Amino acid sequence: MSGAVLMGVDIVEVERIVRAARRGGRVFDRRLTTVAERELGPGPAAFSVKESLIKAVGGRPAGFAWHDFEAAPRPPAGWGGSLLEEAAGELAASTGLPLTEGAAYAVRGASGRAALHRLRPDGGADVTVAGAARWGIGDGLFVSLAIVYVDGSV
């Protein structure tokens, strides 16, 4: 594999997310997730998963929106999936919490531009920024791991 990959991890108490979702209700859900991903995304873990994606791209850039990241109905690219599985295994071993769920992510908008700037500071032709995440829930915690990469960069 060649090319850069960005990684982010988020660990948060389940109760904290449950309280936020309860307070915000449907508004919280609509603000955080897109219509398409509500059916296939991580459900209540979406906040933690998207936080790990935010960390991977280097924070919330100017113009950031939660919808910059959208769960996609396809698996991550072959090498990206392999890298994610290896990293997820290491994180699971260190936390004692298996990361049993996962999804590929479209990365666009301000977050996509920020990631592209970090991945290809010299610019890049027509490339797509992609992401993938694995997550698990247990012992009162959500643990998520995300990678962001330029699709087709290897």
Side-chain angles (χ1 to χ4, degrees):
M1 178 183 83
S2 64
V5 175
L6 307 172
M7 297 186 109
V9 172
D10 189 63
I11 301 173
V12 65
E13 292 177 340
V14 171
E15 188 54 36
R16 179 175 174 227
I17 301 304
V18 169
R19 282 191 315 266
R22 202 176 302 134
R23 274 191 318 267
R26 286 192 138 138
V27 171
F28 178 84
D29 193 40
R30 282 192 306 261
R31 182 170 175 240
L32 191 66
T33 60
T34 66
V35 172
E37 74 183 316
R38 285 184 204 123
E39 294 181 17
L40 58 91
F47 180 81
S48 181
V49 172
K50 289 191 178 191
E51 280 291 330
S52 65
L53 286 158
I54 290 166
K55 290 172 182 173
V57 301
R60 296 177 185 174
F64 166 81
W66 288 101
H67 293 187
D68 285 355
F69 307 104
E70 182 175 41
R74 60 176 170 73
W79 69 268
S82 298
L83 175 65
L84 182 64
E85 290 305 314
E86 182 180 336
E90 291 179 21
L91 183 57
S94 69
T95 62
L97 222 163
L99 280 61
T100 57
E101 303 295 324
Y105 278 80
V107 181
R108 56 185 171 239
S111 296
R113 289 187 298 277
L116 187 57
H117 179 73
R118 290 186 66 206
L119 290 164
R120 294 230 174 130
D122 57 345
D126 297 321
V127 295
T128 302
V129 179
R134 297 281 301 180
W135 61 90
I137 302 170
D139 294 330
L141 297 173
F142 285 126
V143 175
S144 61
L145 166 71
I147 63 170
V148 174
Y149 55 95
V150 174
D151 205 4
S153 67
V154 295

